Amino acid sequence: MRNKVVSDLAAALEGVADGSTILIGGFGLAGQPLALIDALLEQGATDLTVVSNNAGNAEWGIARLLQAGRVRKVVCSFPRQSDSYVFDELYLAGKVELEVVPQGNLAERIRAGGAGIGGFYTPTGFGTLLADGKETREIDGRMYVLESPIRGDVALIGAFRGDRLGNLVYRKTSRNFNPMMATAAALTIASVAEVVEAGALDPEAVVTPGIFVDRVVAVGQEEAA
Amino acid sequence: MRNKVVSDLAAALEGVADGSTILIGGFGLAGQPLALIDALLEQGATDLTVVSNNAGNAEWGIARLLQAGRVRKVVCSFPRQSDSYVFDELYLAGKVELEVVPQGNLAERIRAGGAGIGGFYTPTGFGTLLADGKETREIDGRMYVLESPIRGDVALIGAFRGDRLGNLVYRKTSRNFNPMMATAAALTIASVAEVVEAGALDPEAVVTPGIFVDRVVAVGQEEAA
Amino acid sequence: MSLDRDALAARIARDIPYGAYVNLGIGAPTLVANHLEPALDVILHTENGMLGMGPAATGDDIDQDLINAGKQPVTELPGAAYFSQADSFAMMRGGHLDVCVLGAYQVSVHGDLANWHTGDPGAIPAVGGAMDLAIGAKAVWVMMDLLAKDGTAKLVQACSYPLTGVGCVSRVYTDRAVIEVGSGGARVLDTFGTTLDDLRELTGLDLT
Amino acid sequence: MSLDRDALAARIARDIPYGAYVNLGIGAPTLVANHLEPALDVILHTENGMLGMGPAATGDDIDQDLINAGKQPVTELPGAAYFSQADSFAMMRGGHLDVCVLGAYQVSVHGDLANWHTGDPGAIPAVGGAMDLAIGAKAVWVMMDLLAKDGTAKLVQACSYPLTGVGCVSRVYTDRAVIEVGSGGARVLDTFGTTLDDLRELTGLDLT
């Protein structure tokens, strides 16, 4: 019987290789899979490229990975937050690379990665520093920038409920980047507050169909702060 | 109080102009808004371009519009069905134009239209007649075709439940093209089996948020055949 | 000694790996579903917007809102999910399906597929999801007779019918043989009551 | 006689049309929400994935899974909907929002916006949704002081800070005046205890 639920966090993170690109869901702490990130730290993979909206809060989640020197590069829209001191210090010391991507372009690039789209023209960022060197094009009188898809070796997803088939639902604004990231990685690992029976999730309300998910691990309701 | 629910089908179709591009949801009869199409026939707009997956079944829905001579052009993936004799005859007599688009490209082009994407590179159709004359590009060793967004003046949407804010949910595979089409028209008109109170639809399960919908009309559960 | 359609469908079903996500094209490939052992834990995708499709619906189970890509009434299995066609084709185009089984007019030794259009100038062109399916799985298999009704081979050096996809097919299941196709040319994997020499003669191809 | 922030927020709220879908940027624009009359039936969008956002959450209503774009806890109104950030930014980019109110470092008379980066080589670049918001509504309004703390005008002939968007702002609400900007240049729509001549002198611009 198909069962994507693994018994513990160590099993969930098994096999993540050094040098991997890791997509990490969440917007700030909402939907950020803190337990999976802690388990990745434990697992030991290093020289990572992290793709996430932010670059870590205080000493939680992504900030811990950074602090442990596991991250070579961050691709995000908004690294600088009130409590992103770990990232800030590493960046200013030249110890971590940064690629800043407008938030909507980041979401759309990850969607494109999961959807087999080779590239797309977006009006966002045209005429700005963040489009420097990128191909531009006028379409129906408006200027667009060509953006490329983003894919990961691994995606770490923070969901609410999941079943053994890998179907996932989220809670409120913790959905954010998680559904796209789940589609755009070779290995998608989801933490859930609760594992439910197959058939218990309303098929009309499943946000991430199980086809996108390789492993599910129950971590209970995470409390970040 | 914001109330997008209109009292009858005539009010729902008010103001549709001759020459409009009409996006019509549905895959075969599932999710095809038959009552709205009949009301469009009644309303009288002509010289229409219809964008829909199919080109009508028997003498239902889109087939009726075609039969009445209201349609100048059909953009679809699969006009030829076992019961598409109305379209077949008009097409073979040279009385209606046809643009055939691969189904996934059609869905993605409509999504792009609603999402402000100027164009996208898809592998689907590369090297085929349907990509003739289209720009192609090699990206990471794979060949892609540049496809453009599709937008409509009007979208006719077949949904299941809706509220006065325009939020919609669908039923099973009748969802199909409806959610993208709802986002890609200047005027989006949805028929629903049932109007429910604002707040009655689970905010986690709303498929089409009300921002995309201009008018909602209750038509009961439609029985097609 | 060649296989009939049902036996061929059973053979294809046996080759599908455990736990695969599979899309079965309209027509003969649909028969494969009848031979999928429950223990194989296959999940069926239908491109009109569903994962977890069950068997054909009959009697009171028929629901006009629950159909497959062939517009036939079907059923829903526990753990199913519905989604839009944009999401459904993104799933295919993004390479998330393991196996897609399609019918064909012709397949070339290099894996080109022709299955949407006879090229007849009087025909009404209709592609549906054919071109998306052609590029929409990790493995695209074709199920077809080796010979057309007029006796010409459907496995060809180069397709004469308009293409559905370029170099997209990896394996062809026919009534006479299973043949691997692709950039390395055609290679016979298995035969059903026929010999390699027979196959060479029937197709005029330099099969190995 | 110039308007304070709260009075300016009230003025902006009064200019929002009935029934509009509105995104309020982080910082001062958030104040506009406090002045939106319920009868105006405005629906608030937050780009992290929600329509129908209610007031800030306090006490037991605080839910770490329900936050706004500024990562502050908020509430949900009846008829709300949640969606992914891909869908949320598609909604913005596709032109479905009626009004977006943003803060700014500088706005040019042609509607160019600079609000994400001071250009200081020591600064850590962080754009968030700023560039998406800049092009993501039918009307993009800026709420800012006319003058920076050092007395220089923030409404300028051409932005010296790095741009967020080109020609995207249609109206600037400042403590001294409301000014229309765009391809036709800057035109003063309303003044608060100041004169057109004063505004010309403060900005060095040929305002009309």
Side-chain angles (χ1 to χ4, degrees):
Chain A
M1 191 179 74
R2 185 188 302 260
N3 188 5
K4 297 183 176 182
V5 178
V6 297
S7 54
D8 58 38
L9 286 160
L13 271 295
E14 198 185 307
V16 177
D18 290 354
S20 294
T21 293
I22 316 278
L23 314 181
I24 303 182
F27 178 79
L29 290 168
Q32 191 181 145
L34 298 174
L36 289 177
I37 300 169
D38 285 351
L40 176 60
L41 194 65
E42 186 78 15
Q43 189 265 354
T46 190
D47 192 31
L48 303 173
T49 295
V50 167
V51 180
S52 195
N53 190 62
N54 304 108
N57 303 80
E59 291 164 47
W60 292 100
I62 294 171
R64 282 190 191 159
L65 275 183
L66 285 159
Q67 203 165 30
R70 304 292 176 77
V71 181
R72 185 177 63 75
K73 182 178 176 182
V74 171
V75 179
C76 73
S77 87
F78 207 76
R80 191 189 62 220
Q81 300 170 89
S82 59
D83 57 356
S84 62
Y85 52 86
V86 171
F87 172 83
D88 297 356
E89 191 174 314
L90 288 167
Y91 176 76
L92 294 172
K95 290 183 178 162
V96 63
E97 279 179 70
L98 173 64
E99 178 183 347
V100 173
V101 181
Q103 196 170 334
N105 286 356
L106 183 62
E108 189 70 11
R109 288 177 66 183
I110 297 166
R111 178 191 179 273
I117 297 294
F120 59 90
Y121 290 97
T122 173
T124 302
F126 174 77
T128 75
L129 285 179
L130 297 187
D132 259 8
K134 297 196 174 184
E135 192 176 317
T136 61
R137 185 176 191 130
E138 183 173 337
I139 300 169
D140 284 341
R142 189 170 197 190
M143 295 303 300
Y144 292 82
V145 181
L146 179 62
E147 290 285 356
S148 57
I150 292 177
R151 285 190 58 83
D153 299 297
V154 178
L156 303 183
I157 302 303
F160 177 45
R161 291 197 173 105
D163 65 22
R164 65 175 174 80
L165 305 174
N167 293 307
L168 303 176
V169 296
Y170 302 89
R171 239 192 117 245
K172 304 187 185 283
T173 56
S174 70
R175 188 181 304 196
N176 57 64
F177 283 87
N178 284 299
M180 295 84 78
M181 288 181 170
T183 71
L187 174 66
T188 292
I189 306 165
S191 62
V192 297
E194 190 188 355
V195 171
V196 299
E197 288 300 305
L201 299 175
D202 177 0
E204 304 283 0
V206 167
V207 175
T208 295
I211 191 172
F212 297 120
V213 178
D214 299 287
R215 300 175 189 166
V216 174
V217 61
V219 297
Q221 189 68 49
E222 297 193 65
E223 291 295 336
Chain B
M1 190 180 75
R2 183 189 304 259
N3 188 5
K4 297 183 176 183
V5 179
V6 296
S7 54
D8 58 37
L9 286 159
L13 272 295
E14 199 184 307
V16 177
D18 289 354
S20 293
T21 294
I22 317 277
L23 313 181
I24 303 182
F27 177 80
L29 289 168
Q32 191 181 144
L34 297 174
L36 290 177
I37 299 169
D38 285 350
L40 176 60
L41 194 66
E42 187 78 16
Q43 189 264 354
T46 189
D47 193 33
L48 303 173
T49 295
V50 167
V51 180
S52 195
N53 190 61
N54 303 108
N57 303 80
E59 290 164 46
W60 293 101
I62 293 171
R64 282 191 191 157
L65 276 183
L66 285 159
Q67 204 165 30
R70 303 291 176 75
V71 182
R72 186 177 63 75
K73 182 178 177 182
V74 170
V75 179
C76 73
S77 87
F78 207 77
R80 191 189 62 219
Q81 299 171 90
S82 60
D83 58 355
S84 63
Y85 52 84
V86 171
F87 172 82
D88 297 356
E89 190 174 315
L90 288 167
Y91 176 76
L92 293 172
K95 290 183 176 162
V96 64
E97 280 179 70
L98 172 64
E99 179 183 347
V100 174
V101 181
Q103 196 170 333
N105 285 357
L106 184 62
E108 189 71 11
R109 288 177 66 184
I110 298 166
R111 178 191 179 272
I117 296 296
F120 59 89
Y121 291 98
T122 172
T124 302
F126 173 78
T128 76
L129 285 178
L130 298 186
D132 258 9
K134 296 194 174 184
E135 191 176 319
T136 61
R137 185 174 191 130
E138 184 173 336
I139 300 168
D140 284 341
R142 188 171 197 189
M143 295 303 300
Y144 293 83
V145 181
L146 178 61
E147 290 285 354
S148 57
I150 292 177
R151 286 190 58 84
D153 299 297
V154 177
L156 303 184
I157 301 303
F160 178 45
R161 291 198 174 104
D163 65 21
R164 66 175 173 80
L165 305 174
N167 294 306
L168 303 177
V169 296
Y170 303 89
R171 239 191 118 245
K172 305 187 183 282
T173 57
S174 71
R175 189 183 301 196
N176 57 64
F177 283 86
N178 284 299
M180 297 82 80
M181 288 183 171
T183 71
L187 173 66
T188 293
I189 306 166
S191 63
V192 296
E194 190 188 356
V195 171
V196 299
E197 288 300 305
L201 299 175
D202 178 0
E204 304 282 0
V206 168
V207 175
T208 295
I211 190 172
F212 296 120
V213 178
D214 298 288
R215 300 175 189 164
V216 174
V217 61
V219 297
Q221 188 69 49
E222 297 192 66
E223 291 296 336
Chain C
M1 288 288 287
S2 66
L3 294 191
D4 66 17
R5 287 219 165 156
D6 211 52
L8 185 59
R11 165 60 195 262
I12 294 172
R14 280 207 312 278
D15 284 359
I16 291 177
Y18 172 79
Y21 292 91
V22 175
N23 184 299
L24 298 174
I26 297 172
T30 304
L31 296 174
V32 174
N34 302 336
H35 300 278
L36 292 168
E37 295 295 331
L40 203 59
D41 256 351
V42 161
I43 289 185
L44 292 179
H45 171 259
T46 180
E47 64 266 31
N48 52 314
M50 182 188 195
L51 273 170
M53 180 173 66
T58 53
D60 286 351
D61 285 343
I62 291 175
D63 179 336
Q64 62 177 352
D65 287 340
L66 180 47
I67 59 177
N68 65 13
K71 305 194 176 84
Q72 302 305 309
V74 293
T75 52
E76 169 192 307
L77 297 179
Y82 297 102
F83 29 83
S84 74
Q85 293 218 12
D87 288 346
S88 184
F89 282 88
M91 195 180 281
M92 287 170 47
R93 199 191 306 111
H96 301 282
L97 292 174
D98 296 297
V99 177
C100 179
V101 185
L102 299 173
Y105 298 142
Q106 292 179 324
V107 177
S108 84
V109 295
H110 303 297
D112 294 348
L113 172 67
N115 75 348
W116 76 284
H117 195 344
T118 60
D120 173 352
I124 298 174
V127 68
M131 291 184 181
D132 306 276
L133 286 157
I135 57 96
K138 288 170 198 154
V140 175
W141 296 350
V142 161
M143 176 182 183
M144 66 179 191
D145 292 333
L146 183 65
L147 303 181
K149 282 175 190 153
D150 67 1
T152 58
K154 298 175 72 172
L155 180 69
V156 295
Q157 189 62 36
C159 296
S160 58
Y161 287 122
L163 291 189
T164 308
V166 177
C168 54
V169 177
S170 58
R171 205 182 280 177
V172 182
Y173 287 87
T174 77
D175 50 335
R176 317 253 184 151
V178 182
I179 302 147
E180 187 183 83
V181 295
S183 53
R187 195 165 67 90
V188 176
L189 300 179
D190 200 357
T191 57
F192 309 129
T194 189
T195 66
L196 187 57
D197 282 340
D198 291 342
L199 291 170
R200 284 177 177 157
E201 184 161 337
L202 287 167
T203 62
L205 297 170
D206 182 29
L207 299 169
T208 58
Chain D
M1 288 285 288
S2 65
L3 294 191
D4 65 18
R5 287 218 166 157
D6 211 50
L8 185 58
R11 167 57 195 264
I12 293 172
R14 279 207 311 279
D15 285 359
I16 290 177
Y18 171 80
Y21 292 91
V22 175
N23 185 299
L24 299 174
I26 296 171
T30 303
L31 297 174
V32 174
N34 303 336
H35 300 278
L36 292 169
E37 294 294 330
L40 203 58
D41 257 350
V42 161
I43 290 186
L44 293 179
H45 171 260
T46 180
E47 64 266 29
N48 52 316
M50 182 187 194
L51 274 169
M53 180 174 65
T58 52
D60 287 349
D61 285 342
I62 292 174
D63 179 337
Q64 63 176 351
D65 287 340
L66 180 47
I67 60 176
N68 65 13
K71 306 195 176 86
Q72 302 305 309
V74 293
T75 52
E76 168 192 308
L77 297 180
Y82 297 102
F83 30 83
S84 74
Q85 292 218 13
D87 288 345
S88 185
F89 283 88
M91 195 180 281
M92 287 170 46
R93 198 191 307 110
H96 301 283
L97 292 174
D98 296 298
V99 177
C100 178
V101 185
L102 299 173
Y105 298 142
Q106 292 178 325
V107 178
S108 84
V109 294
H110 303 297
D112 295 348
L113 172 67
N115 76 347
W116 77 285
H117 196 343
T118 60
D120 174 353
I124 299 175
V127 68
M131 290 184 181
D132 305 276
L133 286 157
I135 57 97
K138 288 171 197 151
V140 174
W141 296 350
V142 161
M143 176 182 183
M144 67 180 191
D145 291 334
L146 183 65
L147 303 181
K149 281 176 191 150
D150 67 2
T152 57
K154 298 173 71 170
L155 181 70
V156 296
Q157 189 62 38
C159 296
S160 58
Y161 287 122
L163 291 189
T164 308
V166 177
C168 54
V169 178
S170 59
R171 207 181 279 178
V172 182
Y173 286 87
T174 77
D175 50 334
R176 316 254 184 150
V178 182
I179 302 147
E180 186 183 82
V181 295
S183 53
R187 194 165 68 89
V188 176
L189 300 179
D190 200 356
T191 57
F192 308 129
T194 186
T195 66
L196 187 58
D197 281 342
D198 289 343
L199 292 170
R200 284 177 176 156
E201 184 160 338
L202 287 167
T203 61
L205 296 170
D206 182 29
L207 299 169
T208 58

